[in-house]
Amino acid sequence: MSGGLVALLDDVAALARIAAASVDDVAAGAAKAGVKAAGVVIDDAAVTPQYVSGADPSRELPMIKKIFWGSLRNKLLIILPALLLVSAFVPWAIPFILMLGGTYLCYEGAEKVWHKLRGHHTAEEDAPAVERGPEAEAKVIKGAITTDFILSCEIMVISMNEVAQDSLLSRAIILVVVALVITVAVYGAVALIVKMDDIGMHLAAKDSPGSQRIGELLVKGMPAVLAAITFVGTIAMLWVGGHIMLQGAHDLGWHAPYDLVHVLEHPFAGIAVVGGFLAWLVNTLCSAVLGLAWGLAVMAVVGPLLKVLPFGKKNSGHEEDGVHATGADHQSTKHNVDPSP
């Protein structure tokens, strides 16, 4: 009897060790997948605040909550099952799906750079992102969830590619973890961004001169924060998109671009202490330049089509240029504070 009990305890201990190892594997896989998708995550965080800019302050967090749940449904109920089916039955299609997504990222990033350089700015972009009217909130939320769906597809496909060699169950668990963590992180950050001016006004109303100064800085600094997030998001899109195209071309047999980047980064790799970082920086810059070049090429083809097709975009990109104006206007009108420092 005691021998049977000891054997049972040994089995339980073995199962516990296996479970612990599985948790470690899932955590490592989720971290690896999440890092690769970081560029799209940053862009997602940069895009979303425009959808609540100009909204009644009391409706900002409820709107973000609805967009959050819509994003989570997109990832878990639509994108995840579709990707698992693809990986199980047509895994050869994943690199092509990934390169298609990389092309989209390059296109969006290049479009933003092009419009910025041209000074592209319209009266429509100056208007608040939230339209006035009884159905305005539902319309804005629907638009935000639609945009999030595209970015969520990119996040999940990039993540899937990083764990493609794992078992189907491991892939499913890792992608669920990635979806939960990234969605919470993105919309937690968005909620903090859009309510930062309220926090600033709360601090500015205190008696302490220090609190007042911090509060004023928070309110006046939000337009600059939105602009910085947009800039970083654009660079990240070009970098991630360019790297996807670089790696995809190499995997499909065209080695020249990939080899050239390695030749360029090789002299820096041997430098003591900072060599690894410098080599990574060269690789990143090359990927971003490639992403910009590919995105501009796609723009030259797709741009004219979008102007004539019935489903084309009236305003190209995610309209982050409009975020700057609307974000600044929202901060100043919401609390009657001049956004200029």
Side-chain angles (χ1 to χ4, degrees), residues 11 14 19 48 55-56 85-86 107 119 133 143 151 154 169-170 177 182 187 200 269 278 282 296-297 325 335:
D11 289 342
T48 308
D56 187 290
L85 287 173
V86 168
Y107 167 73
L151 297 174
E154 290 307 299
L169 179 60
S170 294
V177 172
I182 285 180
Y187 288 98
L278 292 177
V282 170
L296 290 173
H335 297 300

Side-chain angles (χ1 to χ4, degrees), residues 50-56 63 124 127-141 314-315 319:
Q50 69 172 297
Y51 290 99
V52 296
S53 181
D56 187 290
M63 288 174 70
E124 184 174 352
V130 178
E131 298 180 14
R132 306 302 178 184
E135 298 180 356
E137 184 172 313
K139 183 176 181 180
V140 168
I141 291 171
K314 292 182 180 179
N315 287 313
E319 297 177 339

Side-chain angles (χ1 to χ4, degrees), residues 314-337:
K314 292 182 180 179
N315 287 313
S316 299
H318 295 309
E319 297 177 339
E320 274 89 341
D321 287 341
V323 177
H324 304 167
T326 57
D329 293 342
H330 178 42
Q331 306 305 324
S332 59
T333 58
K334 185 176 175 182
H335 297 300
N336 297 318
V337 175

Side-chain angles (χ1 to χ4, degrees), residues 43 99-115 150 154 234 237-242 245 288 290-307 312-318:
D43 188 65
M99 291 185 72
L100 182 63
T103 297
Y104 171 80
L105 291 177
C106 294
Y107 167 73
E108 287 290 311
E111 191 178 46
K112 294 169 192 175
V113 172
W114 178 255
H115 288 163
I150 299 172
E154 290 307 299
T234 300
M237 288 181 80
L238 291 173
W239 158 45
V240 174
M245 302 308 297
L290 174 65
L292 179 60
W294 179 240
L296 290 173
V298 174
M299 274 184 64
V301 176
V302 175
L305 291 177
L306 289 178
K307 293 179 180 179
K313 294 181 291 184
K314 292 182 180 179
N315 287 313
S316 299
H318 295 309

Side-chain angles (χ1 to χ4, degrees), residues 169-305:
L169 179 60
S170 294
R171 271 177 275 162
I173 295 173
I174 288 170
L175 289 178
V176 168
V177 172
V178 168
L180 290 171
V181 171
I182 285 180
T183 307
V184 170
V186 166
Y187 288 98
V190 169
L192 182 62
I193 289 170
V194 300
K195 300 306 290 185
M196 191 64 72
D197 55 341
D198 289 323
I199 297 173
M201 290 304 298
H202 177 73
L203 292 174
K206 291 184 174 294
D207 295 331
S208 169
S211 296
Q212 292 175 0
R213 283 194 296 270
I214 293 173
E216 291 171 1
L217 286 174
L218 287 176
V219 174
K220 294 179 179 180
M222 283 313 299
V225 170
L226 290 171
I229 292 174
T230 298
F231 174 78
V232 172
T234 300
I235 298 302
M237 288 181 80
L238 291 173
W239 158 45
V240 174
H243 186 76
I244 289 173
M245 302 308 297
L246 195 67
Q247 184 67 52
H250 178 76
D251 292 342
L252 293 175
W254 187 27
H255 305 300
Y258 192 88
D259 293 341
L260 176 61
V261 172
H262 279 292
V263 168
L264 293 174
E265 69 181 39
H266 180 71
F268 298 93
I271 300 176
V273 183
V274 296
F277 171 75
L278 292 177
W280 172 85
L281 187 60
V282 170
N283 189 296
T284 299
L285 290 174
C286 290
S287 296
V289 171
L290 174 65
L292 179 60
W294 179 240
L296 290 173
V298 174
M299 274 184 64
V301 176
V302 175
L305 291 177

